[in-house]
Amino acid sequence: MSDPVLSVKDLKTHFFTRAGVVKAVDGVSFDLAEGEIMGLVGESGSGKTVTGFSLLGLVDAPGRIVSGSVRLKGTELTALTDSELRSRRGHDISMIFQDPIATLNPMLTIGQQMRMAIDAHERLSARAAESRAAELLTQVGIPSAKERLRAYPHEFSGGMRQRVAIAIALLHRPAVIVADEPTTALDVSIQAQILFQMRDLARETGTAMVWISHDLAVVSSLASKLAVMYAGRIVEQGPTATLLRDPRHPYTAGLIASLPAMAAPGTPLTQIPGTTPSLLSLPAGCPFAPRCDRATDLCKADPDMTHQDNRGWRCFHPVTRTAEVPA
Amino acid sequence: MLGFIIQRFLQAVVVMAVMSVIVFCGVYAIGNPIDIVIPPEATQEIREAAIRRLGLDLPLYKQYFIFMGNLLQGDLGRSFVYNVPVLELIGGRLPATLELVLISVISATVLGVSLGVYAGYRPESWISKTIMGVSVLGFSVPSFWVGLILILFFAVNLGWLPAGGRGETVEIWGVAWSFPTLDGLSHIVLPAVNLALFKLAMMIRLARAGTREIMLTDTIKFARAAGISEGTILRRHLLKLISIPILTVFGLELGSTLAFAVVTETIFSWPGVGKLIIDSIGVLDRPVMVAYLILVAFLFVTINFVIDLVFALIDPRVRQGATS
């Protein structure tokens, strides 16, 4: 296998609040190859969005990256100065967000906003910048792009706005795009369109993606591999198909069992008991143990990542296929 | 856009018409000016002649229509006291107020927004905390006291700046202005600072609150994720996004300061309209009061009209709402 474009090792991002230290991201590691899409799944508060912001060096105070490494195309991002990091953002790695209404500035035209993003990294003539912007809009599926450059965000539908945001993120052909639930706010039909378009774009341009979502169903149709986050850590990772068919971590198994598609029609949906623990007061040992029916005294210690083939999990009592998943 | 302008213009006309009725009736209700205009020992005949000459014998609605008819021809009547056309009287004083108020409100806005954006951008720094501390003073210390202290300190003790008056003036378009001369400018400084302090504090608070709110939004995060520099984000995104409340307050402050700069004008013996209206109320000089209040209403309506147009220019959503 070739060198990964993005390699994250033991990344820790902590927030130093008055109430104490919140370990939002506490030892996350993964590799991403060119053109690869990885789904980063977890409940609200599991640290997936903070992981995304950490990759771009955009963690707001009182949070900061305390340790670990983020290597993008061989460059260590955590060692860069603010202005060096800025010149990478949008150029080598960019990000799209959940709510396209909130991300675009309502008072500037699409063209003006795209121009700003171009100017941040390149000196282009007005004409060249316009044709680049129009080209990108066409690529993400916006018709009559040249005229639309003069339109304001409120003149677009939600799906179209998200396409504009995607076009802005793609302007400089970044190696990696972090997508933070970009389809959650959209209609289901639009959601599917955008998902498949993103997959094609990734394939065509060789852009790798970290696709953050709380919706396992959405991610699994898109990503070639999955990482499941719980309480600031990746508790299980591996190829999507393997993970869905044969989950090892009880939390992953719970997520899969709670998918509506897994329930027989008319029966109540399966739930994982309890809620995500407060990151301020994590229990010692495995953070999932209080919600886990497989927990034993062994779980008072913190499990390490167990690696096997191309997958890994963090559990002393991994689920095995024959025992958990009914045929 | 044209429809929007016409609609706003008609609204403005209605507001002005209603204002003129309220002002006219309101002023009519207070006191009888005739006792002030003629000497107490005047005979009944002189008294009645004066009443007839001033049109005070007519019923109220007739007086109003005569007044409005004259107003539409640009005639606001003559002052009972000075016996000169009211327009001349106010016109002679207005430029003084205008230059003082414009200088103070504009500089308060420019400085206040800059400081406020800084304080909102770096809320934890000690400079920001100092700015916010000073802005509390701007709110809470009474303006007349600040005026007196300014005079005491800069005019009396240090002797750097004059204590009152307009100084040397220059005629432009037949009107006397102080600001083009150095001497005139030095006379403006203290009253302008006095007027500006409260507005400065308000602009700082407004800009800071807006900045803190906007900096946390996804718009800013997305711009950062695209690699746009902080300077560009502040100039192109933030300033536009916080501009609506700032413009609103700017308009209101401009209007109210033009109308009610009385205290500062009195302390610094600045010959503006504020001082004129106080004197006129004292002697029940009805035409001056009515004309002044209508002028104030006109200023407010005009300023709001202009601000609405500016909104439509900078915010496409307002523009669209206006045309549809």
Side-chain angles (χ1 to χ4, degrees):
Chain A
M1 214 174 94
S2 61
D3 280 348
V5 273
L6 179 69
S7 174
V8 179
K9 287 227 160 40
D10 204 27
L11 181 68
K12 291 187 183 180
T13 302
H14 295 177
F15 288 80
F16 299 87
T17 67
R18 276 188 200 160
V21 180
V22 178
K23 298 176 177 176
V25 177
D26 199 23
V28 163
S29 308
F30 61 85
D31 285 340
L32 207 57
E34 193 183 306
E36 190 174 35
I37 301 180
M38 182 184 90
L40 189 59
V41 193
E43 286 168 273
S44 311
S46 60
K48 48 193 197 314
T49 297
V50 178
T51 305
F53 279 125
S54 303
L55 298 181
L56 281 90
L58 279 178
V59 182
D60 284 328
R64 61 185 167 87
I65 297 175
V66 287
S67 68
S69 126
V70 179
R71 289 186 89 80
L72 179 69
K73 296 202 292 188
T75 311
E76 179 56 53
L77 294 188
T78 54
L80 296 182
T81 63
D82 282 351
S83 75
E84 287 169 334
L85 200 54
R86 184 198 68 73
S87 70
R88 304 276 164 166
R89 280 201 292 266
H91 194 263
D92 298 319
I93 181 167
S94 52
M95 187 160 177
I96 44 182
F97 295 73
Q98 179 169 349
D99 184 1
I101 297 168
T103 48
L104 298 173
N105 186 334
M107 295 167 91
L108 297 173
T109 64
I110 300 305
Q112 285 170 326
Q113 300 189 51
M114 295 190 85
R115 184 69 207 266
M116 278 165 81
I118 292 172
D119 288 348
H121 301 287
E122 262 179 80
R123 293 212 167 274
L124 288 184
S125 68
R127 185 184 291 258
E130 191 185 288
S131 72
R132 163 90 68 90
E135 180 195 329
L136 259 301
L137 287 185
T138 310
Q139 202 173 6
V140 296
I142 292 178
S144 48
K146 268 234 152 65
E147 290 81 68
R148 297 302 264 164
L149 283 175
R150 269 174 285 284
Y152 287 91
H154 70 269
E155 297 169 273
F156 289 82
S157 67
M160 284 297 171
R161 261 179 262 191
Q162 191 61 287
R163 285 168 204 266
V164 171
I166 292 169
I168 291 176
L170 282 170
L171 273 174
H172 299 280
R173 302 254 171 259
V176 176
I177 291 183
V178 178
D180 187 6
E181 312 222 22
T183 60
T184 310
L186 305 176
D187 289 345
V188 183
S189 56
I190 309 275
Q191 196 172 339
Q193 277 181 23
I194 290 189
L195 284 178
F196 293 120
Q197 213 157 21
M198 291 297 280
R199 195 173 61 186
D200 293 345
L201 281 172
R203 202 174 291 151
E204 284 165 29
T205 60
T207 306
M209 283 186 213
V210 178
W211 195 280
I212 298 170
S213 180
H214 63 270
D215 189 341
L216 193 58
V218 165
V219 179
S220 54
S221 66
L222 179 76
S224 57
K225 67 179 189 185
L226 287 181
V228 180
M229 272 193 92
Y230 189 81
R233 300 156 180 213
I234 291 177
V235 292
E236 179 160 16
Q237 56 188 335
T240 307
T242 321
L243 227 69
L244 288 181
R245 186 170 14 90
D246 181 19
R248 289 292 154 83
H249 198 282
Y251 179 65
T252 317
L255 281 183
I256 294 169
S258 61
L259 286 177
M262 298 301 263
T267 61
L269 301 178
T270 316
Q271 294 180 11
I272 303 176
T275 54
T276 14
S278 158
L279 293 171
L280 263 175
S281 53
L282 276 183
C286 173
F288 187 62
R291 301 172 71 183
C292 183
D293 54 5
R294 305 171 72 85
T296 61
D297 278 354
L298 203 58
C299 301
K300 289 195 178 117
D302 210 357
D304 283 329
M305 196 63 118
T306 311
H307 292 279
Q308 190 186 71
D309 302 329
N310 52 2
R311 63 184 299 191
W313 58 86
R314 244 179 222 273
C315 184
F316 292 117
H317 309 292
V319 182
T320 49
R321 182 154 46 150
T322 45
E324 269 313 296
V325 181
Chain B
M1 194 64 191
L2 189 67
F4 173 73
I5 294 176
I6 292 171
Q7 185 200 347
R8 283 300 148 101
F9 181 75
L10 291 179
Q11 276 178 10
V13 170
V14 172
V15 169
M16 283 307 298
V18 172
M19 257 314 285
S20 70
V21 174
I22 295 175
V23 165
F24 197 83
C25 296
V27 171
Y28 191 90
I30 48 168
N32 186 354
I34 202 68
D35 299 330
I36 291 160
V37 180
I38 56 171
E41 64 274 12
T43 62
Q44 191 63 19
E45 276 163 32
I46 295 176
R47 192 181 159 87
E48 270 165 21
I51 289 177
R52 220 169 302 121
R53 185 167 50 82
L54 295 174
L56 296 172
D57 54 339
L58 298 169
L60 182 58
Y61 74 91
K62 273 195 185 157
Q63 286 189 36
Y64 174 72
F65 283 120
I66 291 170
F67 168 76
M68 281 308 284
N70 291 337
L71 179 67
L72 292 177
Q73 293 163 37
D75 177 12
L76 283 155
R78 296 176 83 85
S79 161
F80 291 166
V81 177
Y82 302 99
N83 200 25
V84 291
V86 169
L87 215 53
E88 221 169 85
L89 201 59
I90 293 178
R93 300 287 201 107
L94 195 60
T97 300
L98 208 60
E99 65 177 348
L100 175 63
V101 166
L102 278 178
I103 287 176
S104 83
V105 173
I106 290 176
S107 45
T109 306
V110 171
L111 190 64
V113 170
S114 319
L115 293 176
V117 166
Y118 182 87
Y121 186 68
R122 297 212 182 290
E124 299 300 327
S125 88
W126 64 268
I127 298 178
S128 304
K129 285 177 180 157
T130 314
I131 292 173
M132 296 323 287
V134 172
S135 85
V136 172
L137 282 183
F139 268 120
S140 44
V141 179
S143 149
F144 74 88
W145 184 81
V146 174
L148 294 175
I149 293 298
L150 284 175
I151 291 179
L152 191 65
F153 199 69
F154 290 101
V156 179
N157 288 355
L158 293 174
W160 289 354
L161 294 163
R166 281 188 82 181
E168 200 182 318
T169 56
V170 174
E171 292 244 333
I172 300 175
W173 305 315
V175 181
W177 301 95
S178 292
F179 72 88
T181 69
L182 200 62
D183 181 54
L185 213 52
S186 75
H187 280 79
I188 294 181
V189 173
L190 286 186
V193 167
N194 187 205
L195 269 184
L197 276 182
F198 180 82
K199 291 159 235 317
L200 178 72
M202 184 150 56
M203 285 298 178
I204 288 177
R205 300 241 144 209
L206 210 58
R208 183 185 106 110
T211 304
R212 292 207 67 176
E213 193 185 315
I214 298 294
M215 288 314 284
L216 294 176
T217 60
D218 280 355
T219 307
I220 300 301
K221 283 204 178 118
F222 185 63
R224 283 181 173 154
I228 295 167
S229 67
E230 294 294 295
T232 310
I233 288 177
L234 292 184
R235 265 181 291 114
R236 306 259 338 251
H237 281 300
L238 180 87
L239 280 184
K240 265 210 147 168
L241 289 168
I242 63 171
S243 60
I244 298 280
I246 287 175
L247 265 173
T248 311
V249 171
F250 176 82
L252 289 174
E253 280 301 310
L254 191 60
S256 66
T257 315
L258 276 173
F260 313 111
V262 185
V263 174
T264 300
E265 285 184 359
T266 311
I267 293 174
F268 291 92
S269 17
W270 189 264
V273 280
K275 202 150 172 346
L276 173 69
I277 186 62
I278 289 297
D279 296 345
S280 303
I281 291 171
V283 296
L284 279 186
D285 193 346
R286 203 185 272 179
V288 178
M289 287 154 70
V290 172
Y292 175 78
L293 289 175
I294 284 181
L295 177 79
V296 166
F298 177 73
L299 281 174
F300 266 95
V301 167
T302 312
I303 289 170
N304 280 330
F305 180 60
V306 172
I307 296 279
D308 276 343
L309 288 185
V310 175
F311 278 173
L313 280 181
I314 60 171
D315 192 335
R317 292 166 299 181
V318 176
R319 199 152 60 228
Q320 199 194 37
T323 46
S324 62

